[in-house]
Amino acid sequence: MSTIETQTFLMDAVRGTLARAFCGEGVHVDSSGAFDGIDWNLAGQKPCGSPHSIFQVLNHIVYWQDKCLRVMLGEDVHWPTCAVEGWPGAEAPDSEGDWRAMVERYKSELEDVATRLEDAELLAEQGKFTRLEVLRQTSSHNSYHLGQVALLRRMLGAWPPPCGGHTW
């Protein structure tokens, strides 16, 4: 295998790995279905001892996915100067429509990331990170917080999601 063929093979493997990481394949809960079946009132509740509601975690995930997409589009991205800036929005949705709109935004961004991943020059630098670094950080970030959502759903008696609760 030539050097170019090897590089192409490796980048294709990286793209596939990242795509699977974003969709939750394998040992993770299906990323696109993690928020399905949650009543909008329940999404705003914080179980005893929890610092965040499911709605707050969803807003946080969407905030960072949006940053990832902007990097993938080659835009200049303003990175927050402190952690609290990455937790926008209210504790609870104002309505079922508010909840559904945020879930749909999350799912739409997941699809956008997957689409951009196919054609992106992953080693291109976008500010202080390469696109690959941003994608890896975002997929790990999503996985971490989707685990929190699974735990919050269990604590609130809303587990499993319609897509199932067993990951393998």
Side-chain angles (χ1 to χ4, degrees):
M1 200 182 284
S2 72
T3 302
I4 292 174
E5 290 172 326
T6 300
Q7 288 174 342
T8 301
F9 173 80
L10 289 174
M11 291 313 289
D12 287 346
V14 167
R15 281 186 176 83
T17 298
L18 285 170
R20 288 186 299 279
F22 273 99
C23 76
E25 188 175 295
V27 297
H28 296 269
V29 172
D30 173 15
S31 300
S32 67
F35 297 97
D36 291 349
I38 300 174
D39 179 82
W40 71 276
N41 288 303
L42 196 67
Q45 293 180 21
K46 291 196 304 189
C48 183
S50 174
H52 304 292
S53 67
I54 292 172
F55 188 64
Q56 285 175 303
V57 174
L58 177 58
N59 274 295
H60 178 72
I61 291 171
V62 167
Y63 174 87
W64 286 104
Q65 274 189 170
D66 183 65
K67 297 275 187 209
C68 178
L69 281 171
R70 291 178 185 278
V71 166
M72 297 301 290
L73 293 169
E75 297 178 15
D76 286 330
V77 174
H78 165 74
W79 300 102
T81 56
C82 61
V84 72
E85 291 178 35
W87 289 90
E91 185 173 303
D94 291 330
S95 66
E96 184 174 350
D98 189 26
W99 168 246
R100 295 215 182 282
M102 188 56 69
V103 170
E104 288 307 312
R105 181 174 172 191
Y106 164 74
K107 289 180 179 186
S108 175
E109 286 182 354
L110 275 178
E111 291 174 15
D112 285 351
V113 168
T115 299
R116 305 247 177 250
L117 181 58
E118 293 174 19
D119 299 321
E121 175 52 53
L122 297 180
L123 299 178
E125 291 188 17
Q126 295 295 136
K128 56 185 174 178
F129 302 108
T130 65
R131 290 177 177 157
L132 178 59
E133 290 172 311
V134 170
L135 285 161
R136 187 208 48 82
Q137 290 170 1
T138 305
S139 67
S140 295
H141 181 262
N142 282 9
S143 180
Y144 175 87
H145 288 295
L146 289 171
Q148 288 181 318
V149 169
L151 179 60
L152 290 169
R153 286 187 73 148
R154 286 177 189 265
M155 293 172 74
L156 293 166
W159 187 260
C163 63
H166 298 290
T167 57
W168 48 281

